[in-house]
Amino acid sequence: MQSFLEQLRTLVGADAVVEGEALAARASSYWDPAPLRALALVRPRTSAEVSAVLKLCHQHGQSVVTHGGLTGCVDGAVVNERDLVLSLERMTAIEDIDTVGRTATVQAGAVLQTVQDAVAEFGLLFPLDLGARGSCTIGGNVATNAGGISVIRYGMMRELVLGLEAVLADGTVISSLNTMLKNNAGYDLKQLFIGTEGTLGVVTRVVLKLKEAPVSVNTALVALTSFEAVCDLLKSLERTLGGNLSAFEVMWGAYFHAVTEPGWHRPPMSRDHAYYVVLEARGADARADNLQFMTALEQVLEDGMVEDAIIPKSVAERDALWSIREDFEAITAHDPTFLYDVSLPIRHMASYVDEVKSRLQQQWPAGRCYVLGHIGDGNLHLFVSPGEGDRNLHPLADEAVYQPLMPLGGSVSAEHGIGLEKKSWLELSRSTGELALMRLLKRTLDPQTLLNPGKVFDV
C-alpha cells in the first residue's frame, strides 16, 4: 500500500495527497463532524490528473469515493479506512461564460453559489437553487441530479446540463462538452453520469445551461385552511402567472409552528393556520409583473382560497420569509430527528401524510412529524422526531415513511439520491428489470466496482 501512495504522490505531487493527522482534521461530512478516516485523500488539479489517479487505482484494485461539498443527505459519500477519497476541491475554475449561447463551462469542484454569482455579473441566471448553495458543488449537483426550490419552473439538474466530461473507473476520459441545446447525434452519454452518484464515473467538467436573469422578483407568504386549497392555489397561480411562477413551497402547520417558536424565527403572521406557502414569481417587466402578481393574490383572497397573505417590502423581509422555509434547525435540534425526501402524485399527498403520522403516532405517542415540500414538482420532505431513543430507531421510521408510498406509485427519493441510507428501499421504487439494467451498466463501466462501492445497490 505504501508503494501505491508513493506512486500517487509521484503522479499529483506530495502536497496533493493528504494523510494522517491532516486527514483526521477534516470532518466526515457537512452533517458529521467526526474525523475523516480513509486510506488517504487526493486533490487533483485537472481532468488529466483525475484520469491518472483512477488509472493507478484500477491497476491496484483500489476503491475510490469522490467528495464534493459533502452536503448530501443519504450517506452517499461515506468512506471506510480502505477507501481513497478523491476530492475535487482544487478543480473550481469557471472556464468560460458564453453570453450569446448562454452557457457556462465550469470545473466540477466549483461551488454552486460561486457559479450563480459569476454568471449574474453578465445579467445571466443559473437557476438551480437549494439551501446548501454556499457549500455544494456543481459536480455533486450533477452526480445527485439535484433539485431545489426552482424545479417547478426550470427543472432539476438534468435539465440544466448540456454536456459534461467524466473519467471512467479505468482512467478513460469521456469528453462530451456539448454546448448546444439540440444534439441528437447518437446516445446522450452525459445521462450515464447525472444522478448516478459517482458509481459510473467521476464528473470533472460541466457545461451548464443559463437563462437571462429576471428583472423582477415578487414574493409572498400565504396561509390556507386545507390541502385542497393548496392545490387550487397552485393551479390558479400557474394559470394567472404563467411561466413566471418559480417557487411554490408548502409548509404544514406543525412545521411553521415549530420553526417560529420563541428563540427561532419571528412569525410574520398567525401560527395557527393549517398550511403556509412561500410563493415567488420572476419576470422581465418589473412594473407589469408586480401588477400581475398583486392581481393574482387579490383574486385568491377574494375567492376565499387564501386566509391571509404577507408581501415583503424589502430584500431583508423577503430573506426572512425564505429563512422560515430553509432554516429548520429548530426541528433538527431534537435528537434523534430523521430527514426524508420522497415524491408522489400531488393528489395523494394529504392522505399520505395522514397515514405516515398515524403510523408514527402508534409507534411513538410522543413523537412528531414535520412536513414541507416543493409540491409543484411532487416532492415532500419529512422530519421525524420519535421523542425518545437514538439513531437505532431509524429503520422503524423508514418503514412508517416508505411503506405507504407503495400503493401510490411514489418514490423513496425525490432529489437526494439513494446512497447507503435508502439502499434497502430502492426495490420499492424500481422494477426488477430496471435494477438489472442498472447492475449491467455498473458491471460494464466499473467491472471491479471501484467507484463509490456499495452505494445505491449491491452488484
Side-chain angles (χ1 to χ4, degrees):
M1 190 52 63
Q2 190 60 35
S3 173
F4 169 79
L5 293 177
E6 289 173 359
Q7 291 178 64
L8 195 60
R9 294 188 200 96
T10 300
L11 286 176
V12 296
D15 65 323
V17 180
V18 182
E19 306 171 70
E21 293 183 3
L23 181 64
R26 291 170 171 253
S28 293
S29 76
Y30 180 85
W31 309 100
D32 183 2
L36 179 61
R37 299 193 182 281
L39 172 66
L41 179 145
V42 60
R43 304 183 297 162
R45 300 173 181 82
T46 64
S47 297
E49 287 191 354
V50 173
S51 173
V53 169
L54 290 186
K55 184 176 181 180
L56 179 66
C57 290
H58 191 260
Q59 292 169 352
H60 285 262
Q62 174 60 51
S63 57
V64 181
V65 178
T66 305
H67 277 188
L70 295 178
T71 57
C73 301
V74 294
D75 293 340
V78 169
V79 301
N80 61 47
E81 294 182 354
R82 299 180 302 277
D83 293 326
L84 176 70
V85 176
L86 194 158
S87 172
L88 299 181
E89 62 193 60
R90 288 183 168 183
M91 296 181 61
T92 61
I94 298 173
E95 298 178 352
D96 178 63
I97 298 175
D98 179 353
T99 59
V100 177
R102 289 181 297 187
T103 66
T105 302
V106 307
Q107 291 183 334
V111 172
L112 172 59
Q113 188 168 3
T114 301
V115 174
Q116 292 173 328
D117 292 344
V119 302
E121 294 183 10
F122 296 89
L124 297 169
L125 171 73
F126 180 58
L128 182 77
D129 198 20
L130 49 151
R133 64 184 70 85
S135 303
C136 66
T137 64
I138 294 298
N141 298 151
V142 172
T144 58
N145 188 28
I149 62 178
S150 300
V151 172
I152 189 174
R153 179 169 178 180
Y154 298 107
M156 295 180 69
M157 189 66 171
R158 192 180 304 281
E159 283 72 46
L160 301 172
V161 176
L162 291 175
L164 57 75
E165 180 180 83
V167 184
L168 302 183
D170 64 358
T172 300
V173 178
I174 303 297
S175 189
S176 185
L177 293 169
N178 172 70
T179 60
M180 300 168 290
L181 186 61
K182 287 185 174 182
N183 185 351
N184 220 12
Y187 294 174
D188 190 1
L189 295 178
K190 67 177 182 286
Q191 302 299 345
L192 290 171
F193 309 103
I194 302 176
T196 51
E197 303 185 44
T199 61
L200 298 183
V202 177
V203 175
T204 52
R205 299 162 70 204
V206 187
V207 180
L208 303 171
K209 180 166 60 175
L210 308 178
K211 300 290 185 180
E212 293 295 325
V215 298
S216 71
V217 178
N218 287 285
T219 309
L221 172 69
V222 301
L224 307 96
T225 59
S226 68
F227 192 76
E228 181 181 5
V230 171
C231 296
D232 290 342
L233 176 63
L234 176 60
K235 291 186 68 175
S236 176
L237 294 178
E238 287 191 322
R239 182 172 58 251
T240 55
L241 298 179
N244 282 0
L245 183 64
S246 58
F248 190 87
E249 299 292 297
V250 182
M251 298 170 282
W252 267 245
Y255 174 89
F256 186 88
H257 197 273
V259 298
T260 55
E261 288 280 5
W264 298 101
H265 298 284
R266 185 183 66 82
M269 60 171 63
S270 168
R271 301 167 67 223
D272 300 324
H273 298 288
Y275 297 90
Y276 299 82
V277 179
V278 178
L279 56 97
E280 193 161 274
R282 299 183 172 216
D285 187 327
R287 184 173 181 178
D289 294 337
N290 180 260
L291 178 61
Q292 182 188 46
F293 189 78
M294 295 301 296
T295 300
L297 277 187
E298 289 170 3
Q299 186 62 56
V300 295
L301 282 163
E302 289 178 8
D303 292 344
M305 196 180 301
V306 167
E307 285 193 298
D308 196 6
I310 295 290
I311 299 175
K313 298 180 177 62
S314 66
V315 172
E317 289 185 5
R318 173 184 175 272
D319 291 344
L321 291 186
W322 272 111
S323 68
I324 293 173
R325 158 60 182 88
E326 294 186 333
D327 180 10
F328 38 76
E329 188 176 348
I331 292 173
T332 56
H334 301 287
D335 189 29
T337 296
F338 308 122
L339 168 61
Y340 294 92
D341 155 56
V342 302
S343 61
L344 67 156
I346 299 173
R347 67 183 183 275
H348 296 313
M349 285 184 173
S351 61
Y352 165 75
V353 170
D354 289 343
E355 171 69 14
V356 171
K357 287 184 174 181
S358 175
R359 289 177 177 235
L360 292 170
Q361 185 69 25
Q362 293 175 28
Q363 186 77 44
W364 301 298
R368 299 299 300 272
C369 179
Y370 306 96
V371 185
L372 69 157
H374 308 304
I375 303 298
D377 50 56
N379 185 184
L380 288 180
H381 296 295
L382 300 90
F383 297 83
V384 175
S385 298
E388 63 180 69
D390 55 26
R391 302 294 296 181
N392 290 324
L393 297 177
H394 206 164
L396 293 175
D398 288 351
E399 188 170 347
V401 172
Y402 294 144
Q403 287 288 359
L405 290 170
M406 291 187 66
L408 304 177
S411 172
V412 298
S413 179
E415 58 182 357
H416 290 174
I418 297 297
L420 288 176
E421 188 175 285
K422 301 185 180 186
K423 182 176 170 180
S424 63
W425 292 95
L426 181 59
E427 291 184 3
L428 188 150
S429 300
R430 293 296 188 185
S431 69
T432 301
E434 288 176 311
L435 289 170
L437 182 55
M438 291 181 195
R439 291 187 173 100
L440 177 61
L441 285 170
K442 175 66 171 175
R443 289 193 298 267
T444 302
L445 295 179
D446 183 14
Q448 296 187 58
T449 63
L450 300 179
L451 299 180
N452 215 3
K455 310 306 193 312
V456 185
F457 52 77
D458 291 320
V459 179

